[in-house]
Coordinates of all heavy atoms in Angstrom, one line a residue:
M1 N 0.9 -1.2 0.0 CA 0.0 0.0 -0.1 C 0.9 1.2 0.0 O 1.8 1.3 0.8 CB -0.9 -0.1 1.2 CG -1.7 1.3 1.3 SD -2.8 1.2 2.7 CE -3.9 0.0 2.3
K2 N 0.6 2.1 -0.9 CA 1.3 3.4 -0.9 C 0.7 4.5 0.0 O -0.4 4.4 0.3 CB 1.3 3.9 -2.4 CG 2.1 3.0 -3.4 CD 2.1 3.7 -4.8 CE 0.8 3.8 -5.4 NZ 0.8 4.4 -6.7
I3 N 1.5 5.4 0.5 CA 1.1 6.4 1.3 C 1.1 7.8 0.3 O 2.2 8.1 0.0 CB 1.8 6.6 2.5 CG1 1.7 5.3 3.3 CG2 1.4 7.8 3.3 CD1 2.6 5.3 4.6
A4 N 0.1 8.3 0.2 CA 0.0 9.5 -0.6 C 0.3 10.7 0.3 O 0.0 10.8 1.5 CB -1.5 9.7 -1.2
N5 N 0.8 11.8 -0.3 CA 1.1 13.0 0.4 C -0.1 13.8 0.7 O -0.1 14.6 1.7 CB 2.2 13.9 -0.4 CG 3.5 13.3 -0.5 OD1 4.0 12.6 0.5 ND2 4.2 13.5 -1.6
R6 N -1.0 13.7 -0.3 CA -2.3 14.5 -0.2 C -3.4 13.5 -0.2 O -3.4 12.4 -0.6 CB -2.5 15.5 -1.3 CG -1.3 16.5 -1.3 CD -1.5 17.5 -2.4 NE -0.4 18.4 -2.3 CZ -0.2 19.4 -3.3 NH1 -1.0 19.4 -4.2 NH2 0.7 20.2 -3.2
T7 N -4.5 14.1 0.2 CA -5.8 13.4 0.3 C -6.2 13.0 -1.2 O -6.2 13.8 -2.0 CB -7.0 14.2 0.9 OG1 -6.6 14.5 2.2 CG2 -8.3 13.3 1.0
S8 N -6.6 11.7 -1.3 CA -7.0 11.2 -2.6 C -8.2 10.2 -2.4 O -8.1 9.5 -1.4 CB -5.9 10.6 -3.4 OG -5.3 9.5 -2.8
R9 N -9.0 10.2 -3.3 CA -10.2 9.3 -3.3 C -9.8 8.2 -4.4 O -10.4 8.1 -5.4 CB -11.4 10.0 -3.6 CG -11.8 11.0 -2.7 CD -12.2 10.4 -1.4 NE -12.6 11.5 -0.5 CZ -12.7 11.3 0.8 NH1 -12.6 10.1 1.3 NH2 -13.0 12.3 1.7
D10 N -9.0 7.3 -4.0 CA -8.6 6.1 -4.7 C -9.7 5.1 -4.6 O -9.8 4.5 -3.7 CB -7.2 5.7 -4.4 CG -6.6 4.6 -5.3 OD1 -7.3 4.3 -6.3 OD2 -5.5 4.2 -5.1
T11 N -10.3 4.8 -5.7 CA -11.4 3.8 -5.7 C -11.1 2.4 -5.3 O -11.8 1.7 -4.8 CB -12.3 3.9 -6.9 OG1 -11.4 3.6 -8.1 CG2 -13.0 5.2 -7.2
N12 N -9.8 2.1 -5.6 CA -9.3 0.7 -5.4 C -8.6 0.7 -4.1 O -8.1 -0.4 -3.7 CB -8.5 0.2 -6.5 CG -7.1 0.9 -6.6 OD1 -6.8 1.7 -5.7 ND2 -6.4 0.6 -7.6
C13 N -8.6 1.6 -3.3 CA -8.0 1.7 -2.0 C -6.5 1.3 -1.9 O -6.1 0.7 -0.9 CB -8.9 0.9 -0.9 SG -10.6 1.5 -0.7
S14 N -5.8 1.7 -2.8 CA -4.4 1.3 -2.8 C -3.5 2.4 -2.2 O -2.3 2.3 -2.1 CB -3.9 0.9 -4.1 OG -3.9 2.1 -5.1
E15 N -4.1 3.6 -2.1 CA -3.4 4.7 -1.4 C -4.2 5.3 -0.2 O -5.4 5.4 -0.3 CB -3.2 5.9 -2.4 CG -2.2 5.6 -3.5 CD -2.0 6.7 -4.4 OE1 -2.5 7.8 -4.1 OE2 -1.2 6.6 -5.4
L16 N -3.4 5.7 0.8 CA -4.0 6.5 1.9 C -3.2 7.7 2.2 O -2.0 7.6 2.1 CB -3.9 5.5 3.1 CG -4.9 4.4 3.2 CD1 -4.7 3.6 4.5 CD2 -6.3 4.8 3.2
D17 N -3.8 8.7 2.5 CA -3.1 9.9 2.8 C -2.7 10.0 4.3 O -3.3 9.2 5.1 CB -3.9 11.2 2.4 CG -5.2 11.2 3.2 OD1 -6.2 10.6 2.6 OD2 -5.1 12.0 4.3
M18 N -1.7 10.8 4.7 CA -1.2 10.7 6.1 C -2.3 11.2 7.0 O -2.3 10.7 8.2 CB 0.0 11.6 6.2 CG 1.3 10.9 5.6 SD 1.6 9.3 6.2 CE 2.0 9.7 7.8
Q19 N -3.2 12.1 6.7 CA -4.2 12.5 7.5 C -5.2 11.3 7.9 O -5.6 11.1 9.0 CB -4.9 13.6 6.9 CG -6.1 14.3 7.8 CD -6.7 15.5 7.2 OE1 -6.6 15.8 6.0 NE2 -7.5 16.1 7.9
T20 N -5.6 10.6 6.9 CA -6.4 9.4 7.1 C -5.7 8.4 8.0 O -6.3 7.8 8.9 CB -6.7 8.7 5.8 OG1 -7.5 9.7 5.0 CG2 -7.7 7.5 6.0
I21 N -4.4 8.2 7.7 CA -3.6 7.2 8.6 C -3.6 7.6 10.1 O -3.9 6.9 10.9 CB -2.2 7.0 8.0 CG1 -2.4 6.4 6.7 CG2 -1.4 6.2 9.0 CD1 -1.0 6.3 5.9
R22 N -3.3 8.9 10.2 CA -3.3 9.3 11.6 C -4.6 9.4 12.3 O -4.7 9.0 13.4 CB -2.7 10.9 11.6 CG -1.2 10.9 11.3 CD -0.7 12.4 11.5 NE 0.7 12.4 11.1 CZ 1.2 12.9 10.2 NH1 0.5 13.6 9.2 NH2 2.5 13.0 9.9
R23 N -5.7 9.7 11.6 CA -7.0 9.7 12.2 C -7.3 8.1 12.6 O -7.9 8.0 13.6 CB -8.0 10.1 11.2 CG -9.4 10.3 11.7 CD -10.4 11.0 10.8 NE -10.4 10.3 9.5 CZ -10.1 10.7 8.3 NH1 -9.6 11.9 8.2 NH2 -10.1 10.0 7.3
R24 N -7.0 7.2 11.7 CA -7.3 5.8 12.1 C -6.5 5.3 13.1 O -7.0 4.6 14.1 CB -7.0 5.0 10.8 CG -8.1 5.2 9.7 CD -7.7 4.2 8.5 NE -8.7 4.4 7.4 CZ -8.7 3.7 6.4 NH1 -7.8 2.8 6.2 NH2 -9.6 3.9 5.3
V25 N -5.2 5.7 13.2 CA -4.3 5.3 14.3 C -4.9 5.9 15.7 O -5.0 5.2 16.7 CB -2.9 5.6 14.1 CG1 -2.1 5.5 15.4 CG2 -2.3 4.9 13.0
A26 N -5.2 7.2 15.6 CA -5.8 7.9 16.9 C -7.0 7.1 17.3 O -7.3 7.0 18.4 CB -6.0 9.3 16.6
N27 N -7.9 6.7 16.4 CA -9.2 6.1 16.7 C -9.0 4.7 17.3 O -9.5 4.4 18.4 CB -10.0 5.9 15.4 CG -11.4 5.4 15.7 OD1 -11.9 5.5 16.8 ND2 -11.9 4.7 14.7
I28 N -8.0 4.0 16.8 CA -7.6 2.7 17.4 C -7.0 2.9 18.8 O -7.4 2.2 19.7 CB -6.6 1.9 16.5 CG1 -7.2 1.6 15.3 CG2 -6.0 0.7 17.2 CD1 -6.3 1.0 14.0
K29 N -6.1 3.8 18.9 CA -5.4 4.1 20.3 C -6.4 4.6 21.3 O -6.2 4.3 22.5 CB -4.3 5.1 20.1 CG -3.0 4.4 19.4 CD -1.9 5.5 19.4 CE -0.7 4.8 18.8 NZ 0.5 5.8 18.7
S30 N -7.4 5.3 20.8 CA -8.4 5.8 21.9 C -9.2 4.8 22.5 O -9.7 4.9 23.7 CB -9.3 6.8 21.2 OG -10.2 6.2 20.3
R31 N -9.3 3.6 22.0 CA -10.0 2.5 22.5 C -9.1 1.6 23.4 O -9.7 0.6 24.1 CB -10.6 1.6 21.5 CG -11.7 2.4 20.8 CD -12.4 1.5 19.6 NE -11.5 1.7 18.4 CZ -11.5 1.0 17.4 NH1 -12.5 0.2 17.1 NH2 -10.6 1.3 16.4
W32 N -7.8 1.9 23.5 CA -7.0 1.1 24.4 C -7.2 1.4 25.8 O -7.3 2.6 26.3 CB -5.4 1.3 24.1 CG -5.0 0.8 22.9 CD1 -5.7 0.0 21.9 CD2 -3.8 1.1 22.1 NE1 -5.0 -0.2 20.8 CE2 -3.8 0.3 20.9 CE3 -2.7 1.8 22.5 CZ2 -2.6 0.4 20.0 CZ3 -1.6 1.9 21.6 CH2 -1.6 1.2 20.4
A33 N -7.2 0.4 26.7 CA -7.2 0.6 28.1 C -5.7 1.2 28.6 O -4.8 1.0 27.8 CB -7.3 -0.7 28.8
P34 N -5.6 1.9 29.7 CA -4.4 2.6 30.1 C -3.3 1.4 30.1 O -2.2 1.7 29.8 CB -4.7 3.1 31.4 CG -6.2 3.4 31.4 CD -6.8 2.3 30.5
E35 N -3.6 0.3 30.6 CA -2.6 -0.8 30.7 C -2.1 -1.2 29.4 O -0.9 -1.5 29.3 CB -3.1 -2.0 31.5 CG -3.7 -1.8 32.9 CD -5.1 -1.1 32.9 OE1 -5.8 -1.3 32.0 OE2 -5.3 -0.5 33.9
V36 N -3.0 -1.3 28.4 CA -2.6 -1.7 27.1 C -1.7 -0.6 26.5 O -0.7 -0.9 25.8 CB -3.8 -2.0 26.1 CG1 -3.5 -2.2 24.8 CG2 -4.5 -3.2 26.8
A37 N -2.1 0.6 26.6 CA -1.4 1.7 26.1 C 0.1 1.8 26.7 O 1.0 2.0 25.9 CB -1.9 3.1 26.3
Q38 N 0.2 1.5 28.0 CA 1.4 1.6 28.6 C 2.3 0.4 28.2 O 3.5 0.5 27.9 CB 1.4 1.5 30.2 CG 2.7 1.6 30.8 CD 2.4 1.6 32.4 OE1 1.3 1.4 32.9 NE2 3.3 1.9 33.2
A39 N 1.7 -0.8 28.0 CA 2.5 -2.0 27.5 C 3.0 -1.8 26.0 O 4.1 -2.1 25.8 CB 1.6 -3.2 27.6
R40 N 2.1 -1.3 25.2 CA 2.5 -1.0 23.8 C 3.6 0.1 23.7 O 4.5 0.0 22.9 CB 1.2 -0.6 23.0 CG 0.4 -1.7 22.8 CD -0.8 -1.3 21.8 NE -1.7 -2.4 21.4 CZ -1.7 -3.1 20.3 NH1 -0.8 -2.6 19.4 NH2 -2.4 -4.0 20.1
A41 N 3.5 1.1 24.6 CA 4.5 2.1 24.6 C 5.8 1.5 25.0 O 6.8 1.9 24.4 CB 4.2 3.3 25.6
A42 N 6.0 0.6 26.0 CA 7.2 0.0 26.4 C 7.7 -0.9 25.3 O 8.9 -0.9 25.2 CB 6.9 -0.8 27.7
E43 N 6.9 -1.6 24.6 CA 7.2 -2.5 23.6 C 7.8 -1.6 22.4 O 8.9 -2.0 21.8 CB 6.1 -3.4 23.0 CG 6.3 -4.2 21.9 CD 7.3 -5.3 22.2 OE1 7.6 -5.6 23.3 OE2 7.8 -6.0 21.1
G44 N 7.1 -0.5 22.0 CA 7.6 0.4 21.1 C 8.9 0.9 21.4 O 9.9 1.0 20.5
A45 N 9.3 1.3 22.6 CA 10.5 1.8 23.1 C 11.7 0.7 22.9 O 12.7 1.0 22.5 CB 10.5 2.3 24.5
R46 N 11.3 -0.5 23.3 CA 12.2 -1.6 23.1 C 12.5 -1.9 21.7 O 13.7 -2.0 21.4 CB 11.5 -2.9 23.7 CG 12.5 -4.1 23.8 CD 11.9 -5.4 24.2 NE 10.9 -5.9 23.2 CZ 11.1 -6.4 22.0 NH1 12.3 -6.6 21.6 NH2 10.1 -6.8 21.2
R47 N 11.6 -1.9 20.8 CA 11.7 -2.1 19.5 C 12.6 -1.0 18.8 O 13.4 -1.3 18.0 CB 10.4 -2.2 18.6 CG 9.8 -3.5 19.0 CD 8.5 -3.6 18.2 NE 7.8 -4.8 18.4 CZ 6.8 -5.3 17.7 NH1 6.3 -4.7 16.7 NH2 6.3 -6.5 18.0
R48 N 12.3 0.3 19.2 CA 13.2 1.4 18.7 C 14.6 1.2 19.1 O 15.5 1.5 18.4 CB 12.6 2.7 19.2 CG 11.4 3.1 18.4 CD 10.9 4.5 18.7 NE 10.5 4.7 20.1 CZ 9.2 4.4 20.4 NH1 8.4 3.8 19.6 NH2 8.9 4.5 21.7
R49 N 14.9 0.8 20.3 CA 16.2 0.5 20.8 C 17.0 -0.5 20.1 O 18.1 -0.4 19.6 CB 16.3 0.1 22.3 CG 16.1 1.4 23.4 CD 16.4 1.0 24.7 NE 15.6 -0.2 25.2 CZ 14.5 -0.1 25.8 NH1 13.8 1.0 26.0 NH2 13.8 -1.3 26.2
E50 N 16.2 -1.6 19.8 CA 16.8 -2.7 19.0 C 17.0 -2.3 17.6 O 18.1 -2.6 17.0 CB 15.7 -3.9 18.9 CG 15.7 -4.7 20.1 CD 14.7 -5.9 20.0 OE1 14.2 -6.2 18.9 OE2 14.5 -6.5 21.0
L51 N 16.1 -1.5 17.0 CA 16.3 -1.0 15.6 C 17.6 -0.1 15.6 O 18.5 -0.1 14.8 CB 15.1 -0.2 15.1 CG 15.2 0.3 13.7 CD1 15.4 -0.6 12.7 CD2 13.9 1.1 13.4
D52 N 17.7 0.9 16.6 CA 18.8 1.8 16.7 C 20.1 1.0 16.7 O 21.1 1.4 16.0 CB 18.7 2.7 17.9 CG 19.9 3.7 18.0 OD1 20.0 4.4 17.1 OD2 20.4 3.7 19.0
A53 N 20.1 -0.1 17.5 CA 21.3 -1.0 17.7 C 21.7 -1.6 16.3 O 22.8 -1.7 15.9 CB 21.2 -2.0 18.8
L54 N 20.7 -2.1 15.6 CA 20.9 -2.7 14.4 C 21.4 -1.7 13.3 O 22.4 -2.1 12.6 CB 19.5 -3.4 13.8 CG 19.1 -4.6 14.6 CD1 17.8 -5.0 14.1 CD2 20.1 -5.7 14.3
V55 N 20.8 -0.6 13.3 CA 21.3 0.4 12.3 C 22.7 1.0 12.6 O 23.4 1.1 11.7 CB 20.1 1.6 12.3 CG1 20.8 2.8 11.5 CG2 18.9 1.0 11.7
S56 N 22.9 1.1 14.0 CA 24.2 1.6 14.3 C 25.4 0.5 13.8 O 26.4 0.9 13.4 CB 24.3 1.7 15.8 OG 23.5 2.8 16.2
A57 N 25.1 -0.7 14.1 CA 25.9 -1.8 13.7 C 26.1 -1.9 12.1 O 27.2 -2.0 11.6 CB 25.4 -3.3 14.1
L58 N 25.0 -1.7 11.4 CA 25.1 -1.7 10.0 C 25.9 -0.4 9.5 O 26.7 -0.5 8.6 CB 23.6 -1.5 9.4 CG 23.6 -1.4 7.9 CD1 24.0 -2.6 7.2 CD2 22.1 -1.1 7.4
M59 N 25.6 0.8 10.1 CA 26.4 1.9 9.7 C 27.9 1.7 10.0 O 28.7 2.2 9.2 CB 25.8 3.2 10.3 CG 24.4 3.5 10.0 SD 24.1 3.7 8.3 CE 24.8 5.4 8.1
S60 N 28.1 1.2 11.2 CA 29.6 0.9 11.5 C 30.2 0.0 10.6 O 31.3 0.2 10.0 CB 29.6 0.3 12.9 OG 30.9 -0.1 13.3
D61 N 29.5 -1.1 10.1 CA 30.0 -2.0 9.1 C 30.3 -1.2 7.8 O 31.4 -1.5 7.1 CB 29.1 -3.2 8.8 CG 29.0 -4.1 9.9 OD1 29.9 -4.0 10.9 OD2 28.0 -5.0 10.0
F62 N 29.4 -0.4 7.3 CA 29.5 0.4 6.1 C 30.7 1.3 6.2 O 31.4 1.5 5.3 CB 28.3 1.1 5.8 CG 27.2 0.4 5.0 CD1 25.9 0.4 5.4 CD2 27.5 -0.5 4.0 CE1 24.9 -0.3 4.8 CE2 26.6 -1.2 3.4 CZ 25.3 -1.1 3.8
H63 N 30.8 1.9 7.4 CA 31.9 2.9 7.6 C 33.3 2.1 7.5 O 34.1 2.7 6.9 CB 31.7 3.6 8.9 CG 32.8 4.6 9.2 ND1 34.2 4.2 9.7 CD2 32.8 6.0 9.1 CE1 34.8 5.2 9.8 NE2 34.1 6.4 9.5
D64 N 33.3 1.0 8.1 CA 34.5 0.2 8.1 C 34.9 -0.3 6.7 O 36.0 -0.2 6.3 CB 34.4 -1.1 9.0 CG 34.3 -0.7 10.4 OD1 34.6 0.4 10.9 OD2 34.0 -1.6 11.2
D65 N 33.9 -0.6 5.9 CA 34.1 -1.1 4.6 C 34.4 0.1 3.6 O 35.1 -0.1 2.6 CB 32.9 -1.8 4.0 CG 32.6 -3.1 4.8 OD1 33.5 -3.6 5.3 OD2 31.4 -3.7 4.7
Y66 N 33.9 1.2 3.8 CA 34.0 2.3 2.9 C 34.8 3.5 3.3 O 34.8 4.5 2.7 CB 32.7 2.7 2.4 CG 31.9 1.7 1.6 CD1 30.8 1.0 2.3 CD2 32.3 1.2 0.3 CE1 30.1 0.0 1.6 CE2 31.5 0.2 -0.2 CZ 30.5 -0.4 0.4 OH 29.9 -1.5 -0.2
A67 N 35.5 3.4 4.5 CA 36.1 4.5 5.1 C 37.2 5.1 4.3 O 37.4 6.3 4.2 CB 36.6 4.2 6.5
A68 N 38.0 4.2 3.5 CA 39.1 4.6 2.7 C 38.6 5.1 1.3 O 39.4 5.7 0.6 CB 40.0 3.5 2.5
K69 N 37.3 4.9 0.8 CA 36.9 5.2 -0.4 C 36.5 6.6 -0.5 O 36.0 7.2 0.6 CB 35.7 4.4 -0.8 CG 36.1 2.9 -1.1 CD 34.9 2.2 -1.6 CE 35.3 0.7 -1.9 NZ 34.2 -0.1 -2.3
Q70 N 36.6 7.3 -1.6 CA 36.2 8.6 -1.8 C 34.7 8.7 -1.7 O 34.0 7.9 -2.3 CB 36.7 9.2 -3.1 CG 36.4 10.6 -3.4 CD 37.2 11.6 -2.5 OE1 38.2 11.2 -2.0 NE2 36.8 12.7 -2.4
C71 N 34.1 9.7 -1.1 CA 32.6 9.9 -1.1 C 32.1 10.4 -2.5 O 32.9 11.2 -3.1 CB 32.2 10.9 -0.1 SG 32.4 10.3 1.5
E72 N 31.0 9.9 -2.9 CA 30.4 10.2 -4.2 C 29.1 10.8 -3.9 O 28.4 10.5 -3.0 CB 30.3 9.0 -5.0 CG 31.6 8.4 -5.5 CD 31.4 7.1 -6.3 OE1 30.1 7.0 -6.7 OE2 32.2 6.4 -6.5
I73 N 28.6 11.7 -4.9 CA 27.2 12.2 -4.8 C 26.5 11.4 -5.8 O 26.9 11.2 -7.0 CB 27.2 13.6 -5.2 CG1 28.0 14.5 -4.2 CG2 25.7 14.2 -5.4 CD1 28.0 16.0 -4.5
S74 N 25.4 10.7 -5.3 CA 24.6 9.9 -6.1 C 23.2 10.4 -6.3 O 22.6 11.0 -5.4 CB 24.7 8.5 -5.5 OG 23.7 7.6 -6.1
E75 N 22.7 10.1 -7.5 CA 21.3 10.4 -7.7 C 20.4 9.3 -7.3 O 19.2 9.4 -7.5 CB 21.1 10.7 -9.3 CG 22.0 12.0 -9.8 CD 21.5 13.2 -9.0 OE1 20.3 13.4 -8.8 OE2 22.5 14.0 -8.8
D76 N 20.9 8.2 -6.8 CA 20.1 7.1 -6.4 C 19.2 7.5 -5.2 O 19.6 8.1 -4.2 CB 21.1 6.0 -5.9 CG 20.3 4.7 -5.6 OD1 19.2 4.6 -5.9 OD2 21.1 3.7 -5.1
T77 N 17.9 7.2 -5.4 CA 16.9 7.5 -4.3 C 16.8 6.5 -3.3 O 16.0 6.6 -2.3 CB 15.6 7.8 -4.9 OG1 15.1 6.6 -5.7 CG2 15.6 9.0 -5.9
H78 N 17.4 5.3 -3.5 CA 17.4 4.2 -2.4 C 18.2 4.5 -1.2 O 19.2 5.1 -1.3 CB 17.7 2.9 -3.0 CG 16.9 2.5 -4.2 ND1 15.6 2.1 -4.0 CD2 17.2 2.5 -5.6 CE1 15.1 1.9 -5.3 NE2 15.9 2.2 -6.2
G79 N 17.8 4.0 -0.1 CA 18.6 4.2 1.1 C 17.8 3.8 2.3 O 16.7 3.6 2.3
L80 N 18.4 3.9 3.5 CA 17.9 3.6 4.7 C 17.4 4.9 5.4 O 18.1 5.9 5.5 CB 18.9 2.9 5.6 CG 18.5 2.5 7.0 CD1 17.4 1.5 6.9 CD2 19.6 1.9 7.7
T81 N 16.1 4.9 5.7 CA 15.5 6.0 6.4 C 14.8 5.7 7.6 O 14.0 4.7 7.6 CB 14.5 6.7 5.4 OG1 15.2 7.1 4.1 CG2 13.9 8.0 5.9
L82 N 14.9 6.4 8.6 CA 14.4 6.2 9.9 C 13.3 7.3 10.1 O 13.7 8.5 10.1 CB 15.3 6.1 11.1 CG 16.3 5.0 11.1 CD1 17.1 5.1 12.3 CD2 15.6 3.6 11.0
V83 N 12.2 7.0 10.4 CA 11.2 8.0 10.7 C 10.6 7.7 12.1 O 10.1 6.5 12.3 CB 10.0 8.0 9.7 CG1 8.9 8.9 10.0 CG2 10.6 8.3 8.3
G84 N 10.5 8.5 13.0 CA 9.9 8.2 14.3 C 9.9 9.3 15.1 O 9.5 10.2 15.6

């Protein structure tokens, strides 16, 4: 599923805009009991720490492999991005 930058009325439901996603997430979270919200927050924090450790290890490996190479400017749009 793609995420659209702007609201769109895609009849086959293959795109959602961020406003719709945020509204749906807020609706789901509003039904959580306080204990569930706290448990999910703790799990999210744990997962973010694990992801940070994995990305740090990956970046360290890349740095070790490419430290001696000259940096290049690339038009490549692929890459690792963290949003959070």
Side-chain angles (χ1 to χ4, degrees):
M1 175 179 294
K2 296 187 292 183
I3 299 175
N5 291 328
R6 296 184 179 173
T7 302
S8 64
R9 298 289 181 193
D10 189 358
T11 56
N12 65 9
C13 298
S14 64
E15 288 186 4
L16 289 175
D17 60 277
M18 287 305 295
Q19 184 178 7
T20 301
I21 293 169
R22 286 186 179 111
R23 187 175 58 249
R24 289 181 181 183
V25 168
N27 186 25
I28 291 168
K29 287 182 175 184
S30 71
R31 292 179 276 173
W32 290 350
E35 300 81 22
V36 172
Q38 186 175 12
R40 287 183 177 257
E43 178 67 12
R46 183 189 65 77
R47 288 182 180 191
R48 284 188 294 280
R49 284 192 305 272
E50 286 181 5
L51 179 60
D52 182 57
L54 288 171
V55 170
S56 294
L58 177 66
M59 297 302 282
S60 176
D61 290 346
F62 278 135
H63 182 276
D64 294 344
D65 292 343
Y66 299 106
K69 293 184 180 180
Q70 183 71 19
C71 291
E72 298 178 6
I73 297 176
S74 174
E75 297 298 324
D76 189 5
T77 58
H78 300 287
L80 181 62
T81 304
L82 295 178
V83 179

